[in-house]
Amino acid sequence: MIRGRTFIAAAFVVTAAAASVRAQTDVITITIEQAVSEALDHNLSLLAERFNIQVADAAILTASLKPNPVLTFNVMRPDRVLVDAGLAQYEEVARGDYVFERGDKRDRRVDQATLAKSVAELQLLNTTRSLVLDVESAFTDVQLAKLNLALARDNLTAFNNVVTINTERVRTGDLSQVELSRSRLAALQFQNDVRQQENKLQVARTHLSTLIGRGPNGSTLEVAGDLRKDAQPANYEALRAMALEARPDLRAARADQTRSVSDLKLQLANGKIDYTVSGEYHRMQGESISANSYGVYFSTPLPIFNRNQGEIARAQVQQQQLETRTRALETDVASEVANAYAEYEAAREIVDTIEGQMLTQAQDVRTTTEYSYRRGEASFVEFLDAVRAFNDTTQSYNQARADYARSLYTLDSIAGKVHP
């Protein structure tokens, strides 16, 4: 019996140890560079977008193909009565037809398909740019949620200590029961805040895990590193020039505009008629004679009604449309740069203000008021107000730091930067 209990205890220890090891391995720590790299390799939306390049390659292959020759065989076997009467004969006909394209149609098709592929590549690059910004923003959300959770736990720890002290003071008759109830209620409020911050952190981690292609696999995704804060200020004119030059979506619009010019040339080429050249071998067998005949044929449509006028007009209008869209996108990009730079400057100023003027004062007020409250020189309301003021200031500081980090990532993305 003792041996059985020992075995059960040993099995419990092994199981607990295995669970501990599994809990440790379930925590995965990544940096922002690793997160972006994983997203580029495993994000399902981006992987689906990459198939557009293969589709474009197939379109180039299709455009480069020449028309197939047409081979026709014909055998005629009339009734023997007609052959004997000299009214018909046995015939075997072999004929080949081939269309000669004019206007360099094949080259025009290849040019347009090649330019369409370049547009697809730039669109993929722009999708990558957007994904990188989403990952960076999600990574920042996790960092912010961790900071707010640490603040909430710190507040909860402080009030739990106060509750412990107040419980002892009530026991010794140095404090009223109402004051103890107030401190316990405040501790419960901060406990609820901890739960809310834990939920926000879990949501942020799940979002980041989905973006990088991991999904909700049960592991805890831990982020490493501090919130981004560049030492050197950004230059507006340099960012604007870079955005107008390097933004993938703007480059794709310009490439699509070039493709429309190639499309117009293709439609003009399609308006030119093609020639069909045919050759024929004709074998004839009659009652008393057999002979062969040979023929060469040339055929071409008469361009009286259809000269591809509709497609030519469509390509001309589309060319003007894409040119207008490109100019509109250039204006939008310039506006995005201006707005993003304004948000960047505002976020940087808020961070500097809180760091230089508010954070230290709020910390000092909280520390002093807590000390005074424990000595009975300050009321609980004063202490609670000081804690809430410090909490609000610190949360504002965390939010400002996160907004500043996001503004830096946004400036990189607007300027056309794809990788961190």
Side-chain angles (χ1 to χ4, degrees):
M1 184 68 179
I2 296 177
R3 182 177 301 174
R5 292 178 179 177
T6 304
F7 177 78
I8 294 173
F12 177 78
V13 171
V14 171
T15 304
S20 176
V21 171
R22 185 165 56 251
Q24 292 176 2
T25 56
D26 284 344
V27 178
I28 302 173
T29 303
I30 61 172
T31 64
I32 190 167
E33 292 81 8
Q34 292 172 334
V36 171
S37 179
E38 284 197 28
L40 297 181
D41 291 337
H42 303 295
N43 183 270
L44 295 179
S45 298
L46 186 61
L47 292 177
E49 187 80 13
R50 285 177 179 156
F51 284 108
N52 289 336
I53 307 301
Q54 299 180 25
V55 172
D57 286 330
I60 294 176
L61 177 60
T62 301
S64 65
L65 299 177
K66 296 180 180 180
N68 288 323
V70 179
L71 187 61
T72 305
F73 291 98
N74 182 25
V75 178
M76 297 187 64
R77 287 292 182 265
D79 290 341
R80 184 69 184 178
V81 176
L82 296 176
V83 176
D84 293 343
L87 298 177
Q89 55 190 347
Y90 299 124
E91 298 182 35
E92 294 90 21
V93 179
R95 174 171 174 157
D97 300 87
Y98 187 76
V99 176
F100 289 89
E101 293 183 315
R102 298 178 63 243
D104 297 326
K105 292 183 177 67
R106 178 168 168 268
D107 293 338
R108 300 302 181 192
R109 289 196 302 268
V110 172
D111 289 343
Q112 187 193 23
T114 303
L115 289 170
K117 179 184 177 181
S118 67
V119 173
E121 290 173 340
L122 289 170
Q123 289 174 342
L124 174 62
L125 190 62
N126 188 61
T127 302
T128 303
R129 178 183 68 90
S130 300
L131 175 62
V132 169
L133 179 59
D134 290 342
V135 172
E136 291 169 339
S137 298
F139 196 93
T140 303
D141 290 341
V142 176
Q143 291 176 312
L144 173 61
K146 285 180 60 180
L147 291 173
N148 287 337
L149 177 58
L151 174 64
R153 287 174 174 171
D154 179 63
N155 290 330
L156 178 60
T157 300
F159 266 85
N160 283 337
N161 292 335
V162 169
V163 169
T164 301
I165 295 174
N166 286 350
T167 301
E168 181 64 22
R169 292 175 65 185
V170 169
R171 189 185 67 82
T172 60
D174 188 39
L175 191 69
S176 65
Q177 183 67 38
V178 174
E179 196 78 1
L180 176 60
S181 299
R182 287 178 178 178
S183 60
R184 285 175 175 172
L185 179 60
L188 290 174
Q189 291 174 344
F190 282 106
Q191 182 177 341
N192 291 334
D193 186 36
V194 168
R195 292 173 180 172
Q196 291 176 355
Q197 297 302 332
E198 287 175 343
N199 181 64
K200 290 181 180 180
L201 178 58
Q202 181 59 38
V203 171
R205 282 173 171 165
T206 301
H207 183 213
L208 177 60
S209 181
T210 301
L211 285 175
I212 65 177
R214 289 180 178 268
N217 54 12
S219 61
T220 300
L221 195 64
E222 188 63 73
V223 298
D226 201 359
L227 287 166
R228 179 180 173 183
K229 183 178 181 181
D230 290 1
Q232 297 296 329
N235 184 278
Y236 172 74
E237 292 299 331
L239 286 169
R240 187 176 185 276
M242 189 180 300
L244 293 175
E245 179 67 24
R247 274 279 291 266
D249 54 344
L250 188 53
R251 290 167 59 196
R254 290 165 181 163
D256 200 23
Q257 186 179 349
T258 304
R259 184 206 56 79
S260 70
V261 175
S262 178
D263 182 37
L264 177 59
K265 293 180 180 179
L266 173 60
Q267 300 310 322
L268 290 171
N270 288 338
K272 295 184 179 181
I273 59 175
D274 298 328
Y275 301 146
T276 302
V277 177
S278 308
E280 182 178 287
Y281 167 74
H282 195 169
R283 173 70 175 173
M284 295 171 288
Q285 298 179 17
E287 175 61 25
S288 59
I289 188 171
S290 298
N292 300 323
S293 65
Y294 307 90
V296 177
Y297 304 90
F298 174 83
S299 63
T300 181
L302 298 178
I304 298 176
F305 304 111
N306 184 0
R307 297 185 299 277
N308 204 36
Q309 303 97 315
E311 285 299 301
I312 292 174
R314 188 269 308 162
Q316 290 173 337
V317 173
Q318 191 176 55
Q319 184 178 348
Q320 297 174 355
Q321 180 189 46
L322 292 175
E323 182 180 355
T324 304
R325 284 180 178 175
T326 302
R327 292 200 303 267
L329 184 57
E330 289 175 348
T331 302
D332 292 341
V333 169
S335 298
E336 287 182 22
V337 174
N339 294 335
Y341 190 81
E343 293 177 359
Y344 155 77
E345 285 194 319
R348 186 181 62 176
E349 291 175 359
I350 292 174
V351 170
D352 292 341
T353 300
I354 296 178
E355 283 182 346
Q357 303 178 23
M358 299 176 61
L359 196 61
T360 303
Q361 293 184 22
Q363 176 68 51
D364 292 342
V365 169
R366 173 186 168 173
T367 303
T368 302
T369 307
E370 182 178 1
Y371 179 77
S372 300
Y373 174 71
R374 292 187 177 186
R375 291 173 57 86
E377 299 173 357
S379 66
F380 179 76
V381 174
E382 292 175 331
F383 172 54
L384 185 60
D385 287 342
V387 172
R388 288 176 176 172
F390 171 75
N391 187 66
D392 292 342
T393 302
T394 306
Q395 282 190 343
S396 298
Y397 178 57
N398 293 340
Q399 185 65 51
R401 290 177 62 198
D403 291 341
Y404 179 59
R406 291 192 194 97
S407 69
L408 292 172
Y409 293 130
T410 302
L411 288 181
D412 287 343
S413 179
I414 287 179
K417 187 177 180 181
V418 176
H419 298 286

